[in-house]
Amino acid sequence: SNVVVLARSQDLSRSLRFRDFFSNGLPLTVGVVVVGALLTDVMGAMVFDSHSPFPQWACSASAASCIFVQAPGVVQGQQVDAQACIVDLGSEDTTMCRLWNGTMLDMSLVQQVF
C-alpha cells in the first residue's frame, strides 16, 4: 500500500519521500510494540492465569515431559504442596527432573501425585 501512496503523491505539489514514511511510522511501530507487550502480559494473567504455578492436569497427559511430585515449596510466589517436575531428557537414564527453582530431583526417590 505504501507503493500506491508514493505513486499517487507524485501528483501533489510536493511528493512524499521515504523520510516522511519513516518519521511517522517508526514512533507508531514502537508504540504498538510496547503496548502490545504490556497487554500480552496483563491479559495472559487475567485470561489464562499465566502467573500461577504449572497445573497438575498438564502433567497428566501421556506425552507430557513432566511429572507432578510431592515437593512443597514456593512457585511463582505461591506456596504449594505439590509441583511440576520437568523430566531431564538430557540425562542418560532420564531419572532426574528439575523443579521451578532449578532443584534437580531423582524421580525414583520422590512420590508422584496422580
Side-chain angles (χ1 to χ4, degrees):
S1 66
N2 289 345
V3 174
V4 173
V5 172
L6 277 171
R8 294 295 295 165
S9 74
Q10 299 302 318
D11 299 338
L12 299 173
S13 60
R14 185 180 74 96
S15 62
L16 294 172
R17 298 167 297 200
F18 177 76
R19 181 176 24 166
D20 298 328
F21 284 96
F22 187 77
S23 63
N24 291 318
L26 184 65
L28 288 173
T29 302
V30 170
V32 167
V33 166
V34 169
V35 169
L38 292 173
L39 277 177
T40 300
D41 184 52
V42 170
M43 295 301 288
M46 289 173 54
V47 175
F48 300 110
D49 201 18
S50 61
H51 292 168
S52 66
F54 200 67
Q56 183 176 353
W57 63 263
C59 284
S60 63
S62 60
S65 62
C66 68
I67 58 173
F68 222 73
V69 296
Q70 289 285 4
V74 177
V75 178
Q76 292 186 331
Q78 295 182 21
Q79 183 68 33
V80 295
D81 295 325
Q83 57 185 301
C85 194
I86 306 301
V87 177
D88 183 16
L89 299 175
S91 65
E92 293 149 10
D93 53 0
T94 62
T95 59
M96 300 296 284
C97 68
R98 182 176 46 86
L99 297 176
W100 175 263
N101 65 2
T103 305
M104 297 296 287
L105 296 177
D106 187 347
M107 292 188 296
S108 61
L109 301 177
V110 294
Q111 182 181 3
Q112 295 184 20
V113 177
F114 295 100

